[in-house]
Amino acid sequence: MKKTYTIDDTTILWDPSKCSHSGICVKGLPEVFKPKESPWVQTENASKEQIIQQVLKCPSGALSIKEQ
Ligand code: SF4
């Protein structure tokens, strides 16, 4: 099931069925992407721009941005 995380007017989508567990998000922004915690995406720990840049690096497309 897809999960959403909201930062201001931007929604981050995460689709676990697409996640290849490459760990790129965790290595790039460990203060935000914490697979052992709940919620595992903690958007309050970095700027929106930093999080968007990291989401765009997700190789599988599991993480994506929905701008409103
Ligand atoms: S970068 Fe994308 S594919 Fe890799 S662990 Fe994060 S969400 Fe999953």
Side-chain angles (χ1 to χ4, degrees):
M1 190 172 33
K2 286 185 190 175
K3 291 197 176 176
T4 60
Y5 306 89
T6 306
I7 322 166
D8 304 330
D9 56 350
T10 302
T11 302
I12 310 281
L13 294 172
W14 182 62
D15 182 346
S17 68
K18 287 188 187 169
C19 179
S20 57
H21 303 284
S22 61
I24 288 174
C25 56
V26 179
K27 283 185 204 126
L29 216 48
E31 60 274 37
V32 171
F33 298 99
K34 300 185 177 187
K36 292 185 179 151
E37 295 185 23
S38 182
W40 85 277
V41 181
Q42 299 181 7
T43 55
E44 67 276 20
N45 294 338
S47 72
K48 180 171 136 179
E49 196 51 41
Q50 280 179 298
I51 295 171
I52 289 172
Q53 287 309 314
Q54 190 61 53
V55 164
L56 296 176
K57 290 179 189 157
C58 174
S60 66
L63 285 168
S64 61
I65 308 280
K66 186 175 148 199
E67 302 251 11
Q68 277 147 7

